[in-house]
Amino acid sequence: MNPEAIRHLDRDPVLRRLVERHGPIGLRPRRFSTFRSLTEAIVRQQLSQQAAAVILGRFRSLYPGKSFPTVGEVLATPPEHLRKAGLSRAKASYLLDLAARVRQRRVPGLRACERLTDEELIARLTAVKGIGRWTAEMLLIFNLGRPDVLPVDDLGVRRGFQRAHERDELPAPAELAHHGQRWAPYRTAAALYLWKAAEPEPEGWADP
């Protein structure tokens, strides 16, 4: 993690405790194609990691010999085949709509993404059927490695904030966004620590 980000987060006493507890948290952007990143994000929506991994495996098995299908191969896949892989009717339609938009060059590729600001890119991506702000933010963080993204609607981030601040209730997204302004321009690093704070702690790790 960027040492400057650590020094910046240390100004917040709550984040400082998380940094001291968990140490540096690395993030290596995946740099998948926009099509692959969004496809996987759509499949993962509202699923546990385990369930999503199973369905992604079935989805890839529709295209033997390929690490990931091309846009054309997905467009040529009948919706009922996507359904047999475990995708809901809605998600199957989302994937086909995404593939059509990518073919029409209405979805920016990796190089085009680099020329867009975070908000510009979110606006472009959320025009795609089935892509909301959260999904776009996951692409910004994990695929592109953008440094200043705080997904305030993410339950894990909100729960991590709640636990770190020892509160009885989750913060509202607007409150979290306001509080998070102090972490700019390293809000992605803050989100990583809040996700870590939301994880179950090992036995014996609780504060005395």
Side-chain angles (χ1 to χ4, degrees), residues 201-208:
E201 293 183 343
E203 186 177 354
W205 192 311
D207 289 327

Side-chain angles (χ1 to χ4, degrees), residues 129-142:
K129 187 178 179 182
I131 302 294
R133 185 179 181 91
W134 178 87
T135 301
E137 288 170 336
M138 295 304 102
L139 181 143
L140 288 170
I141 293 173
F142 295 107

